[in-house]
Amino acid sequence: MGVVALVQSVVSKQIKQLYQLDMEPDAVPVNETKPEFEGDYTVVLFGLVKSLKKAPEALGNELGEQLVKEHGDLFSGFNVIKGFLNLSISDTYWLQFLQQHAGDAGYGHRPSTGKRIMVEYSSPNTNKPLHLGHLRNNFLGWSVAEIYKANGYDVVKTCIANDRGIHICKSMIAWQLFANGATPQSTGIKGDHFVGDYYVMFGEELKKQVAGLVEKGVAKEEAEKEAPIMKAAQQMLVDWEAGKPEVIALWKMMNSWVYEGFEATYKRIGSDFDKTYYESNTYLLGKDLVEQGLRKNVFYQEEDGSVWIDLTADGLDKKIVRRRDGTAVYITQDIGLAELKQEEFHSDGSIYVVGDEQNYHFKVLKLICQKLGLPSADGIYHLSYGMVELPTGRMKTREGTVVDADDIVDEMVSVAQQKTEELGKVGDFAKDELTQLYDTLGLGALKFFLLRVDPKKRMIFNPEESIDFHGFTGSFVQFSHARAKSILRKAQPAMSALSCNLLPAEKSVLVELEKYPAILKQACDEMNPSVVAAYVFKLAQTFNSFVTELRVLTAETPEKKELRLQLAQLTVHVIKSGMALMGIKVPDRM
């Protein structure tokens, strides 16, 4: 039980004993005491004042005196300011906490809940490489999955590869027109980048052809449909759906190039999946569910044969689920895939990590699944996140202005090298150690920068700003871990019992460390890794202030040295654990 929950429990019992008033522990309002007042935690008394009809100061003094008298091992003192009872936690409590957890590398993680959660993320198109937006998606999905694991859930990580459709055919047509048989192997270009180049070429050629038709007097909207290259792409999609052998062979070959490229990127950024689904295998799913929905009157059929659902009573609108020619639409596939995933994994919840431009889509998906009575329906959750933009503005794939994930990673590693060399402390490292260090710092800075922002918010990514050894960055947290490890290389704590008085700087580190389990629960409840990022940064700041103010290895007494070594040890465990939940490695030395 954390200290806040413990204070709530003890205060709840004391209120019942003193005033015969039943008050659930969770209903006792407890906050951290504001820095300008003496104390650690504050009980807000206004609700009690109203119930008991007592003056705030009299009530606070009465309750505070009884708490210190009966629970001296927990409370060392109190003061009352208006309707606020400020309680000081005893050094004995903090020392016992440290003794219990200093050697526990798994501190903060919870036992199994017996529940399973699915997290779907990444979900790329196979006509272009992963880009900066995909990085936020991957880091967010992977981190949320790890945070759920830390909270005792069995987690299944999934991905849906969008490997069919007109966008894929555009790359295929452009390759046929412009490649002259070139391959990633013959050009030395990474497979996903190679295919993505042809997608951009398609867009450029389409612009030229549309402009030519417009010059001849064709309306722009009509020209975009009638351009020869667009008609060729549409015909290729028809041929693909008909299973034309040469089209399928080309599709398989080009997709294999992309998957090889994706795999290299995923490996480098530390992204992994337990199961990957492919749209080419799932796009027909859901057709049977449409028939079931018609029988249950969940859906209705128009005169032209198309099938719809009317969600106007739910505050949405009408949505087509099957075209008049009998073909499925995207939502139909998603309904079928939701059912398939549930049949395979029997999860208690399914989290979809998808950008906020799809908010409406997922409201519709959940509603339809609920109306169909699918067992997966209530557990569907859309983890909506804001787009990542560059200082120059929004990225656009068709115009070739997207920043590829591989290029961003390379740039971050380069910036890490430059910043580290500026500090002039690379002489002690072997060449391969430096290579590893730059990679650790560059990727760590990138992940931390993209995860430190609440997922719901849009953000601007600036590589230079993300690596700062003194700012709100992963680099600062990594430096703090290395600083603690440097101390522990010179002396290890004996893990002996402690009974000394705490100085404010020592206590401040303990107060931060004690919060870690509650932080992990909050991050899980909110599906928000930025909670962990903000926490480890605050812990790193607090630890740095502590070692700047107080000596560790040459402490004034052996017991103080032991205390401070134990503080360093638990700080190392917690920073390493918190950063790992964001997929960030921490170096032992920098």
Side-chain angles (χ1 to χ4, degrees):
M1 183 184 292
V3 67
V4 172
L6 182 58
V7 170
Q8 287 177 310
S9 176
V10 169
V11 171
S12 169
K13 288 174 184 173
Q14 204 67 65
I15 289 169
K16 183 170 185 179
Q17 183 180 322
L18 281 173
Y19 309 115
Q20 290 73 55
L21 177 68
D22 284 323
M23 192 172 190
E24 288 297 316
D26 286 349
V28 178
V30 175
N31 305 312
E32 282 187 65
T33 303
K34 291 181 178 178
E36 58 267 31
F37 301 115
E38 184 184 348
D40 298 310
Y41 292 95
T42 298
V43 181
V44 183
L45 299 171
F46 295 112
L48 284 170
V49 167
K50 194 173 180 181
S51 302
L52 299 173
K53 297 181 174 55
K54 277 181 171 280
E57 193 152 330
L59 174 62
N61 280 308
E62 203 170 74
L63 185 56
E65 284 173 8
Q66 201 65 20
L67 287 168
V68 172
K69 179 181 174 183
E70 295 197 15
H71 301 279
D73 56 334
L74 179 59
F75 302 114
S76 59
F78 75 94
N79 65 82
V80 182
I81 298 175
K82 296 183 179 177
F84 301 95
L85 169 60
N86 301 317
L87 296 165
S88 296
I89 304 298
S90 71
D91 288 354
T92 301
Y93 172 85
W94 293 119
L95 292 171
Q96 286 175 347
F97 159 78
L98 182 60
Q99 192 74 49
Q100 183 180 355
H101 297 293
D104 181 9
Y107 166 64
H109 288 223
R110 298 173 186 273
S112 173
T113 61
K115 292 184 177 180
R116 174 176 287 168
I117 292 289
M118 296 186 73
V119 185
E120 179 184 294
Y121 58 97
S122 196
S123 306
N125 295 333
T126 61
N127 63 323
K128 54 192 175 185
L130 302 176
H131 56 64
L132 179 56
H134 286 114
L135 288 179
R136 189 179 197 192
N137 182 299
N138 271 267
F139 298 158
L140 182 57
W142 191 93
S143 183
V144 165
E146 293 302 310
I147 288 167
Y148 265 92
K149 284 183 188 177
N151 281 274
Y153 289 82
D154 177 29
V155 176
V156 181
K157 301 173 183 175
T158 70
C159 173
I160 172 76
N162 301 300
D163 65 341
R164 64 166 289 278
I166 190 67
H167 52 293
I168 309 299
C169 294
K170 289 176 181 179
S171 295
M172 292 163 65
I173 283 292
W175 184 84
Q176 284 184 329
L177 290 173
F178 308 120
N180 294 317
T183 67
Q185 291 74 23
S186 70
T187 59
I189 299 173
K190 190 165 171 276
D192 50 336
H193 291 256
F194 180 84
V195 173
D197 289 343
Y198 287 96
Y199 183 69
V200 173
M201 285 182 207
F202 180 95
E204 291 168 348
E205 181 62 23
L206 178 62
K207 268 187 184 178
K208 289 179 193 172
Q209 292 186 8
V210 168
L213 289 171
V214 169
E215 279 181 18
K216 293 176 182 177
V218 180
K220 188 179 179 185
E221 190 175 331
E222 186 65 21
E224 287 171 348
K225 293 177 185 174
E226 292 302 317
I229 196 168
M230 179 58 81
K231 294 189 87 169
Q234 289 169 337
Q235 183 58 49
M236 181 167 277
L237 180 59
V238 171
D239 292 342
W240 183 91
E241 293 196 357
K244 196 171 182 180
E246 59 268 35
V247 172
I248 297 296
L250 175 61
W251 171 75
K252 285 181 177 178
M253 179 176 71
M254 292 185 71
N255 271 353
S256 73
W257 296 337
V258 174
Y259 293 138
E260 191 174 336
F262 282 174
E263 190 55 38
T265 304
Y266 286 141
K267 187 175 181 181
R268 189 168 190 200
I269 66 173
S271 208
D272 64 310
F273 310 98
D274 298 305
K275 178 72 181 273
T276 298
Y277 295 94
Y278 298 91
E279 190 182 339
S280 54
N281 295 332
T282 64
Y283 79 106
L284 296 176
L285 290 176
K287 283 195 166 187
D288 289 344
L289 289 169
V290 172
E291 292 298 330
Q292 288 179 33
L294 282 168
R295 290 195 294 272
K296 293 178 179 179
N297 295 319
V298 172
F299 303 137
Y300 67 93
Q301 193 159 5
E302 291 281 11
E303 289 182 6
D304 65 0
S306 60
V307 179
W308 296 70
I309 185 168
D310 187 352
L311 298 173
T312 50
D314 300 283
L316 303 178
D317 58 13
K318 295 178 180 179
K319 178 74 177 177
I320 189 170
V321 295
R322 190 174 71 195
R323 298 186 187 94
R324 63 184 180 182
D325 61 4
T327 56
V329 295
Y330 205 80
I331 195 82
T332 322
Q333 171 195 268
D334 275 359
I335 299 163
L337 184 55
E339 184 185 49
L340 175 63
K341 285 161 68 176
Q342 186 64 21
E343 286 173 355
E344 284 190 42
F345 293 105
H346 308 287
S347 64
D348 297 281
S350 186
I351 301 167
Y352 295 80
V353 184
V354 182
D356 56 12
E357 74 277 10
Q358 294 294 328
N359 286 352
Y360 184 83
H361 176 86
F362 282 97
K363 284 179 184 175
V364 171
L365 174 64
K366 182 164 185 169
L367 261 174
I368 292 177
C369 289
Q370 286 174 326
K371 291 178 186 294
L372 288 171
L374 300 185
S376 60
D378 290 340
I380 289 174
Y381 182 86
H382 175 208
L383 178 47
S384 171
Y385 66 91
M387 294 294 100
V388 186
E389 296 181 6
L390 297 166
T392 52
R394 192 170 181 181
M395 301 178 291
K396 295 177 182 176
T397 306
R398 284 188 299 273
E399 296 176 14
T401 61
V402 166
V403 178
D404 293 334
D406 297 318
D407 296 338
I408 281 283
V409 172
D410 287 342
E411 182 176 354
M412 291 300 298
V413 173
S414 176
V415 172
Q417 178 175 352
Q418 175 198 330
K419 297 266 188 183
T420 307
E421 288 174 350
E422 283 172 5
L423 295 175
K425 294 184 178 180
V426 298
D428 296 337
F429 290 84
K431 188 176 179 181
D432 60 335
E433 286 180 313
L434 279 176
T435 300
Q436 182 61 49
L437 178 63
Y438 299 148
D439 201 65
T440 297
L441 294 177
L443 266 173
L446 176 61
K447 291 183 179 184
F448 194 92
F449 197 90
L450 292 179
L451 289 174
R452 73 178 192 177
V453 177
D454 187 303
K456 298 178 192 67
K457 295 179 180 176
R458 296 197 165 212
M459 64 178 296
I460 295 174
F461 176 70
N462 187 327
E464 287 287 337
E465 187 187 331
S466 65
I467 298 184
D468 179 351
F469 292 103
H470 303 288
F472 180 19
T473 63
S475 310
F476 174 77
V477 180
Q478 289 171 320
F479 168 78
S480 304
H481 176 270
R483 192 175 187 183
K485 288 292 285 187
S486 175
I487 293 168
L488 293 168
R489 274 196 297 276
K490 297 179 178 76
Q492 285 289 315
M495 298 301 176
S496 53
L498 301 164
S499 60
C500 52
N501 292 329
L502 290 171
L503 294 172
E506 295 163 338
K507 185 173 178 179
S508 63
V509 180
L510 279 165
V511 169
E512 286 304 315
L513 289 167
E514 193 278 335
K515 295 174 186 174
Y516 188 49
I519 289 292
L520 293 190
K521 184 178 185 303
Q522 180 188 347
C524 184
D525 291 344
E526 296 177 9
M527 302 182 197
N528 185 358
S530 74
V531 171
V532 178
Y535 169 77
V536 291
F537 175 71
K538 178 72 184 302
L539 174 59
Q541 278 185 314
T542 307
F543 179 79
N544 275 311
S545 297
F546 154 69
V547 292
T548 300
E549 182 180 334
L550 300 173
R551 303 188 310 274
V552 178
L553 299 172
T554 57
E556 49 273 34
T557 67
E559 189 169 32
K560 280 292 183 182
K561 178 180 177 181
E562 174 64 19
L563 164 67
R564 293 168 192 173
L565 285 172
Q566 287 188 29
L567 281 173
Q569 184 69 72
L570 187 52
T571 298
V572 160
H573 288 330
V574 172
I575 287 180
K576 186 174 184 178
S577 169
M579 294 289 268
L581 294 178
M582 294 181 282
I584 302 172
K585 296 176 183 176
V586 282
D588 286 352
R589 63 191 191 109
M590 286 173 65

